[in-house]
Amino acid sequence: MKGILFAKLKTFIRTPWLFILMTLMSLGFAWIVGGADDENQMQVPVYAANETIQDGLIGKALTISDTIDFNWMSEKEMTDQIADDKAEMGVKLEENDFQLLTGVESLNADLIKRIVQQAYENREQQEQIVAATSLVTEKEKADVQKELQAAMEAPVFSMDTGSFRGTDTWVYDDTFQRLFGFALFFMIYTVSYSVLPILTEKEDGIWDRLILSPVRKWEMYVSNLIYSFLTGYLQVLLVFLIFRFWIGVDFNGRFAETLLLLIPYVFAVVALAVFLTAIVKNQPQFSAILPLMAVSMAMIGGAFWPIEIVDSKILIALSKINPLTYGMEVLNGVAVYGYSLEELLYPISILLLMGVVLMGVGMHLMEKRHI
Amino acid sequence: MLELVDLSKKYKQFYAVKNLNMFIEKGEIVGLLGPNGAGKSTAISMLSSLVEPTEGDVRFNNKSVIKKPAPLRKVIGMVPQEVALYDDLTAEENLHFFGRIYRLTGAQLKQRVNEVLEIIGLTDRRKDIVKKFSGGMKRRLNIGAALLHEPEVIIMDEPTVGIDPQSRNYILETVKRLNKEKGMTVLYTSHYMEEVEFLCDRIYIMDKGDLIASGTKDEIKRILSAEKTISIQADRLNDSFISKLKQHPTINRVIAEEKEITIMVAKEINMFSTLIKIAEDAGIELNSVDIKTPTLEDVFLHLTGRALRD
């Protein structure tokens, strides 16, 4: 077994190009598309009906938002940007109300609405507090407001709040969506092309030589699959490490758990690749089917966009037999929702079950077939 | 030593090998000859315990290989038809890999790798990556990979396909040397008559899954003792000439190729003047008429009506 692993490792060192390409693709897509840097923070044009709004509490609240970059402009500029598809939506602020102007249906509409609404509510709250003080002069009112701001920034005690999440609620985190989605998607290629040599080595007669040697059949399979698992895992590990320590995505403090709970997904993908290798007749057929399968899996598994926005019952049903769906569920569960291991047992179990079934059927078919 | 008893392999309704009976004695070089698709590879896959036969048995030292393949596998070396090597590894790394799977380690492995590199003449190229090798060098290394564990029996499935004459000669000489110096038993399959004629003590000829002849070279050639082979060459052979030859009562067989026609006639008949006349009647000009000593190729032609490379 060591001999086979050693040969695989040497081959990998000599020809790491696919691995490098897929790692760079994962990084590129997750980073550039995912907006991990400030330049890609979502830009939203905003127009204030009068200057006091922009200079007041609402304007300040929007300016310091770290989720959305609100750009102040005239009403015409804002509507032009939306009409020209330069912005998904804009916000028109009035004294006691606001309007959300949407050009395209966007997942971010709710988020923007919440931020603006929160700014209005905070202003209302502060105005009511000032009103309750029965102060008369504007200067006195301004002083109280300053004191209030200072008190809020340095509270006497802090309180964490939480809520039970219903099944209909979900959180969209763009960085994690892209990072997890593209990392899991591109890993399918690396793993599959590392399983493929089982087929080519059988065709070339290398396996015949191994069968005639004292090496046992299970050693031949296990060493090949360990190698495939390690290359797939290493690729995602590198991508996550770069995001964690270079770009500074902290995985909400659950980096180690994210890496650990990645294992069932990598196992399921290795098994899927074994199954695919077993059902194709040759390498060209494999190369034709793999992209179709991987892209379809990504589309219905929530790698390219959140599965929660898919309405079609057929696609949702198909996503239930897709390892990528559960892979995303596990990683989002850990890093975005902060779920415990117990709460993630269901998707982890499904991934392990898929892995065992696909591996079993795949190996059976491989052994049955005459090459 | 090794025996194939009524061995058959059936895929759906098609027999790849049918009722094959063969034996190989210790220290022999046995040739298995036949055109592509004759069933040679299937036969040796069954012999080496890689493919289970539909019927029949393979016996090694009088014990069934099908029931217990391990004793045969220990002493067998297999050279597959394809180049079964890792392209991205060097010659030395490939040999190390195949040595390791035979549980060779340390100094013993190193020594065997050096010896094998010497045998196959690749010592100077040991550090080169296999994908940069010529076809002939790959074939030599392919043989080397089967020699590391010093097998008693080596099975070679068309080891010279697609290589230059120089490499081919080197391989044939190597096989002869292994047999003479190490006493290695060799089963050599090929569709090249001259290779089998050069190497083998005994020959089995297969066609379409059947064994059609067997024996020593002389025994097989005696099949043609009553006939002689005449080769006729012309620039523009026409259908009329071929048809007239086929209809001639003294000509037993006619094989027509682009610029050459091979005919078989009874040994005592002088065909020269007859051939000139038939050529004149058909309006063609002959370039040459050669009477050939019978070869195994002629035997195959006689037995099947087809050339080996058809």
Side-chain angles (χ1 to χ4, degrees), chain B residues 193 197-198 203 205 213-227 267 293-299 302:
Chain B
M193 282 294 180
E197 269 194 276
F198 172 75
I203 297 155
I205 303 179
S214 65
T216 62
K217 273 180 275 189
D218 291 339
E219 281 169 351
I220 289 181
K221 281 180 187 172
R222 273 203 289 275
I223 295 172
L224 284 182
S225 59
E227 286 186 328
K267 221 169 192 176
T293 318
T295 61
L296 289 176
E297 181 92 37
D298 301 325
V299 177
H302 170 79

Side-chain angles (χ1 to χ4, degrees), chain A residues 1 3-4 6-8 10-11 14-15 201 203-206 208-216 219 370, chain B residues 11 48-51 73 78 80 82 84-86 88-90 93 97-98 100-103 129 142 145:
Chain A
M1 199 156 93
I4 300 174
F6 192 67
K8 296 265 164 202
K10 281 238 158 141
T11 309
R14 295 251 159 80
T15 51
E201 285 174 14
E203 284 174 343
D204 292 347
I206 292 180
D208 283 350
R209 283 192 151 147
L210 295 173
I211 289 167
L212 293 177
S213 77
V215 174
R216 294 186 193 92
E219 289 179 283
H370 174 82
Chain B
Y11 295 110
S48 56
S49 77
L50 285 169
V51 170
R73 286 181 178 181
M78 179 78 172
E82 302 295 330
L85 301 166
Y86 287 104
D88 293 310
L89 301 186
T90 64
E93 285 166 350
F97 169 73
F98 287 109
R100 262 197 213 107
I101 65 168
Y102 276 96
R103 312 290 193 226
I129 288 176
N142 203 31

Side-chain angles (χ1 to χ4, degrees), chain A residues 124-137:
Chain A
E124 183 67 23
Q125 197 181 29
Q126 289 193 26
E127 280 177 359
Q128 281 178 11
I129 291 168
V130 172
T133 59
S134 313
L135 295 170
V136 184
T137 65

